[in-house]
Amino acid sequence: MMGYVFRLRGRWMLPAAALALLVLPPQGAGAAEPEGVVSADSAEPAETTWRSIAPDIFPDKVIGAADGLVALTAPTRAEDAALVPLTVSLTLPPGDTRSFKAVTVVIDENPAPMAGRFSFGAGQKDFALSLRARVNSYSYVRAVAETDDGALHMARAFVKAAGGCSAPATKDTADSIAHLGDIRFRSFGETGRNEAQVQIRHPNFSGLQMDEATRGYTPAWFVREVQITQGGHLLLGMEGGISISEDPTFRFTYHPSTEPVTVRGADTEGKVFTRTFPGGAS
């Protein structure tokens, strides 16, 4: 599993297992701007934070421009900071012999900036992925694509949002726990779109949300790993953290097949959720 870094007192540290011990106040009116952002109204922040975290996330790597290979779609101003829609599109030009290996989504100003690393099966040359993420304060969101030759290409978007990591759950916690690990799979092949969607019911607690009854912080508890396979071949893999929204949901490029689709998820408490669906089924 990838190593997560967290921002605490101006430094980036702490592995994911220690997140439950992290206690930070929620973002609020009058809160100080995160390091690297010029002002709350600035449309163009500095890159101070990115320069400090990039070596931890991509050690000894040179990160190139998007070069038309990777694109990131995100709202300029999010309607809900806890459910920010992101879409990553990956495309290699005709004749390019490479394929995509993975894409990493980074939210610079989040307490755990690496939202997730998404991996693909061999030979992937054209792929789209949509997900929902938490954005804790005005921040660059980045998609860093990796090709099978080890090259990295990055696209970025600046999102104005605040409080996403400390926002209370939008659904009843008792109900979420009662349906913990329920998995849904839907193929959109019948609509003419080569897409599928997977959702795993889980509260995905960030460790920064306050329990209204106890006034303490709810310990971090989130889906850390997902694997979606068909006929033994990987369709999509994820190593994720607290920045993925509750009930993790992923829509991705999928070419319908009659072979069964298996979804396996595991969370930070060691719970494992697995379900197999008929190929192309809704």
Side-chain angles (χ1 to χ4, degrees):
M1 184 178 176
M2 61 186 173
Y4 293 95
V5 290
F6 300 87
R7 191 178 186 192
L8 184 63
R9 295 176 184 172
R11 298 180 59 196
W12 298 95
M13 53 189 177
L14 297 183
L19 181 59
L21 302 178
L22 179 63
V23 178
L24 295 176
Q27 295 284 332
E33 284 295 329
E35 179 182 289
V37 176
V38 176
S39 74
D41 296 320
S42 174
E44 218 27 72
E47 291 278 21
T48 306
T49 298
W50 173 242
R51 288 193 296 268
S52 71
I53 65 176
D56 293 321
I57 302 174
F58 304 100
D60 303 318
K61 292 284 189 178
V62 175
I63 303 174
D67 292 339
L69 276 65
V70 53
L72 173 64
T73 303
T76 301
R77 186 178 295 277
E79 293 184 8
D80 187 337
L83 297 165
V84 179
L86 306 174
T87 297
V88 180
S89 301
L90 308 175
T91 306
L92 286 169
D96 195 319
T97 59
R98 297 175 297 173
S99 60
F100 289 107
K101 181 179 179 180
V103 63
T104 301
V105 176
V106 179
I107 303 172
D108 289 10
E109 304 298 339
N110 274 14
M114 185 187 295
R117 183 179 188 272
F118 300 87
S119 54
F120 320 117
Q124 194 62 255
K125 293 179 175 291
D126 194 340
F127 196 84
L129 168 67
S130 296
L131 64 145
R132 298 177 304 189
R134 296 171 169 136
V135 177
N136 208 49
S137 59
Y138 285 31
S139 178
Y140 273 121
V141 178
R142 304 172 192 269
V144 182
E146 179 182 357
T147 48
D148 59 2
D149 62 353
L152 300 179
H153 297 269
M154 181 178 72
R156 69 180 188 179
F158 187 62
V159 176
K160 296 179 179 180
C165 292
S166 58
T170 61
K171 298 179 181 177
D172 179 72
T173 299
D175 182 67
S176 293
I177 293 175
H179 294 279
L180 188 76
D182 285 359
I183 300 173
R184 298 176 182 176
F185 169 75
R186 180 183 178 187
S187 168
F188 296 90
E190 74 280 1
T191 68
R193 293 177 290 169
N194 289 326
E195 297 177 343
Q197 180 171 292
V198 165
Q199 180 184 76
I200 301 177
R201 289 292 306 274
H202 201 286
N204 251 36
F205 294 134
S206 68
L208 304 177
Q209 296 150 316
M210 184 172 288
D211 185 316
E212 294 184 0
T214 66
R215 305 306 294 173
Y217 287 89
T218 302
W221 177 26
F222 54 89
V223 175
R224 63 176 179 81
E225 180 182 337
V226 175
Q227 277 205 330
I228 306 168
T229 58
Q230 184 168 41
H233 300 287
L234 179 68
L235 297 177
L236 180 69
M238 183 210 74
E239 295 177 65
I242 67 166
S243 296
I244 302 295
S245 300
E246 63 184 293
D247 292 343
T249 303
F250 310 107
R251 183 175 292 203
F252 55 93
T253 298
Y254 169 73
H255 299 280
S257 167
T258 57
E259 293 183 286
V261 173
T262 298
V263 181
R264 179 187 182 277
D267 71 15
T268 52
E269 289 192 355
K271 295 180 172 61
V272 176
F273 322 107
T274 304
R275 187 175 174 187
T276 297
F277 302 86
S282 296

